[in-house]
Amino acid sequence: SGLAFAKTAAEKMNQGDEAGAGAEYRSSLSEFQRAAVYSPDKHDTYTNIGKMYFNLARIDSALIVFSQVHEMAPDDVQTNNLLVSIYMDQGNKQFTQASEAIALSDTTKAQKQYVEAGELYAKAYEITKDDPDLLFQIGSTAYELSYIDHKEKTNYLGKAADFYDQVLKINAQDLDVLYNLALVYRELNRLQEAKDLAARLVDLKPKDGGYRELYGRLCDKLGDKQALIAGLIFGKALRTGETLDAVVVKDQVSKF
């Protein structure tokens, strides 16, 4: 019965009927809670209770329930994978809503939702510490908060650097992480490390004008003005120039 109410709620939500969906989710929650009375040792029931709390935006209640689920089956791989998936999914929703709030210049709402996203990712991190997507999201959440919470900016940047570095230990050629970590190091004034990462980006993707420009700007901060000029000119050419076949280029060059 709980599953049936939840299915109806999802259908109403897809139709844009949020009020109707909320009523169905509450009915579903009530049925799962009744089921737990009859079978208190079945952790799947509590998992569904937690899901309903999430759907009703009762985040704190959901986290409490999922903590209980983890305690009931701490070594159950299937349960742990499900919990990580739920924490990640809910964290990503909060992260997306925070980004939308930033676009609307609502930094207060954005900060609250980034913090909530971070808490959800932290719950997943308690279960697994080697998921690169999770590590990336924790780093990205801290990075976003560094722009909002100026008092804690350095701490958030340090956390972002730590988790981005953990991703690179798993995949040393992750372009997004290399780029983000270079920006974090620049913010922390760790310029040589930022430049080294930018150089790796250029090596991995030499036709990307943005990476060339980043490398040039970091060289400039370290006193190499010519590298800045070269990076900006070469970067602009790569971003806006026409791509030609090598044979065509050879013919053109031969004329000179």
Side-chain angles (χ1 to χ4, degrees):
S1 182
L3 291 172
F5 278 120
K7 181 180 178 181
T8 303
E11 292 171 351
K12 290 191 175 184
M13 185 65 75
N14 290 333
Q15 295 167 2
D17 183 4
E18 293 188 14
E24 297 292 331
Y25 280 133
R26 285 190 289 275
S27 296
S28 177
L29 174 62
S30 178
E31 292 299 290
F32 285 127
Q33 288 171 332
R34 288 178 62 197
V37 172
Y38 289 105
S39 185
D41 297 325
K42 188 175 181 180
H43 58 264
D44 287 354
T45 304
Y46 294 94
T47 299
N48 282 312
I49 290 173
K51 288 181 180 179
M52 294 310 105
Y53 277 134
F54 269 129
N55 289 327
L56 291 167
R58 295 169 62 178
I59 306 300
D60 291 341
S61 297
L63 293 179
I64 291 171
V65 171
F66 280 132
S67 294
Q68 293 172 343
V69 173
H70 185 53
E71 290 174 4
M72 293 173 69
D75 300 319
D76 188 290
V77 174
Q78 185 176 1
T79 299
N80 285 340
N81 288 341
L82 176 61
L83 290 177
V84 169
S85 175
I86 292 171
Y87 285 136
M88 280 285 290
D89 180 61
Q90 295 299 320
N92 291 342
K93 286 181 180 178
Q94 294 295 324
F95 188 96
T96 299
Q97 290 174 9
S99 300
E100 292 171 351
I102 286 290
L104 297 173
S105 300
D106 189 348
T107 56
T108 301
K109 181 179 179 181
Q111 181 175 357
K112 178 177 180 295
Q113 291 181 309
Y114 278 133
V115 169
E116 289 180 353
E119 291 173 350
L120 289 161
Y121 294 141
K123 287 289 185 181
Y125 187 69
E126 290 175 6
I127 301 172
T128 179
K129 293 180 169 55
D130 56 2
D131 184 323
D133 291 335
L134 172 60
L135 298 172
F136 177 78
Q137 284 303 116
I138 294 174
S140 296
T141 302
Y143 187 37
E144 294 296 338
L145 282 167
S146 73
Y147 284 105
I148 301 173
D149 191 342
H150 300 296
K151 291 182 179 179
E152 294 295 324
K153 179 175 183 177
T154 301
N155 290 334
Y156 278 126
L157 287 172
K159 182 177 181 179
D162 177 46
F163 279 92
Y164 284 147
D165 188 57
Q166 290 184 51
V167 178
L168 292 179
K169 289 177 181 177
I170 299 172
N171 179 11
Q173 297 187 6
D174 189 312
L175 296 175
D176 290 335
V177 176
L178 285 168
Y179 182 78
N180 285 6
L181 185 54
L183 298 181
V184 170
Y185 281 156
R186 184 179 65 180
E187 291 287 327
L188 290 170
N189 206 36
R190 294 164 62 174
L191 298 177
Q192 185 59 53
E193 292 170 277
K195 175 189 169 185
D196 292 343
L197 290 175
R200 285 169 62 185
L201 285 166
V202 171
D203 288 340
L204 289 168
K205 201 169 182 181
K207 293 182 181 179
D208 190 297
Y211 295 157
R212 297 273 180 178
E213 291 176 358
L214 175 63
Y215 179 76
R217 293 184 187 282
L218 288 166
C219 288
D220 178 48
K221 286 183 174 291
L222 289 166
D224 188 347
K225 187 70 66 176
Q226 282 198 318
L228 169 65
I229 297 171
L232 293 178
I233 293 174
F234 199 7
K236 182 178 180 181
L238 286 168
R239 284 189 292 103
T240 62
E242 181 183 1
T243 302
L244 298 176
D245 185 88
V247 175
V248 175
V249 176
K250 182 179 179 181
D251 290 340
Q252 289 185 355
V253 172
S254 67
K255 297 176 183 178
F256 299 93

